Amino acid sequence: MASRVTGTGVEWYASVEHKFWWPTGISYGSNFVWVCDTFSDSSINPFIPNYGYGIVQKFLSDGTQGIVSFAAAEGKQLVHPWGVATDSTNSQVYVSDTENHRVLLYDLNTSAFKKRVSTAGTTAGTGKGQFNLCAGCGLDDGQNLYVVDGFNRRMQKNLSSGGGWIDAWDTNNLFNPLYTA
C-alpha cells in the first residue's frame, strides 16, 4: 500500500523509498509501474536525484525498483522524457522523448528498445508523425497511441493497426482533424 505518492521525494511503499527529481509521467502495465523522471540523472545514486537528461524508471508493482533507466535508442540517450504509456495487450511501452522530438517503443517486460514510432528521427518537424517537443502520450481502448505535440500545439494519433499517423488536432480545431489519411 502506497504511503505517499507526491511531495518532496516519493516514498513509494512503506518499505521502499525512492526520490524523484521531476516526475512527469506514470503508467501501469503487466505488474510494472513506469515513471518518467524528466530532469533526473539517478544513475549515480538512485536514492539521491541529480539534475540530468532524465530517465524512465521501472518498478515492480510491490514498489521494488526493477530497471533504473531505459538504454539509449538509435545512438542517442533520452533527453527529458515526459510521457509514458503501457500497452499490456501487446507487451509494449511508449515513451515520449521530449527534446529529441521522438516517440520510442520498448518491450514491456524486458525494457529492450524495439523501434522509433515517430517519423522525423531526432529533428523537430510539423508533418504526420513529426513532433516539436512531444510531451504526454496515452492509449485508448483500441491501443491507438495519442501524443501531445507541445510546440506545434496539437495532438496526433497513431493507429495500432499499422495505419500510421492519421489525425491531428490543434487548439483552434479540437473536434475536426487538420488532416486525415
Side-chain angles (χ1 to χ4, degrees):
M1 174 180 220
S3 58
R4 181 173 31 147
V5 189
T6 61
T8 305
V10 173
E11 186 177 336
W12 194 269
Y13 288 83
S15 63
V16 178
E17 184 176 331
H18 185 84
K19 293 177 174 42
F20 297 103
W21 182 270
W22 193 268
T24 54
I26 188 167
S27 191
Y28 174 83
S30 294
N31 294 316
F32 295 113
V33 178
W34 304 84
V35 177
C36 286
D37 198 358
T38 300
F39 298 107
S40 179
D41 178 9
S42 295
S43 59
I44 299 167
N45 182 342
F47 301 104
I48 303 173
N50 300 308
Y51 179 81
Y53 286 107
I55 58 177
V56 178
Q57 299 182 69
K58 176 181 176 181
F59 297 87
L60 298 173
S61 60
D62 67 358
T64 308
Q65 189 168 356
I67 296 173
V68 173
S69 177
F70 284 126
E74 302 176 316
K76 284 193 91 156
Q77 73 179 58
L78 299 175
V79 180
H80 302 143
W82 201 270
V84 60
T86 54
D87 174 358
S88 297
T89 304
N90 299 306
S91 297
Q92 303 177 136
V93 157
Y94 296 91
V95 174
S96 57
D97 186 10
T98 305
E99 291 188 37
N100 278 325
H101 315 287
R102 63 186 179 170
V103 179
L104 305 171
L105 181 64
Y106 291 86
D107 184 273
L108 181 66
N109 298 306
T110 67
S111 305
F113 172 70
K114 293 174 84 173
K115 68 178 182 176
R116 177 176 28 91
V117 180
S118 50
T119 62
T122 57
T123 304
T126 59
K128 292 180 181 184
Q130 298 176 354
F131 301 95
N132 189 348
L133 297 177
C134 52
C137 59
L139 297 163
D140 64 17
D141 291 340
Q143 306 308 315
N144 298 303
L145 175 68
Y146 294 83
V147 179
V148 176
D149 188 7
F151 274 26
N152 287 328
R153 295 188 176 105
R154 64 182 180 176
M155 176 179 62
Q156 293 195 59
K157 177 182 178 182
N158 187 299
L159 290 177
S160 63
S161 63
W165 296 95
I166 64 159
D167 296 326
W169 297 267
D170 67 9
T171 55
N172 297 318
N173 200 1
L174 289 175
F175 298 105
N176 297 305
L178 295 173
Y179 53 76
T180 57

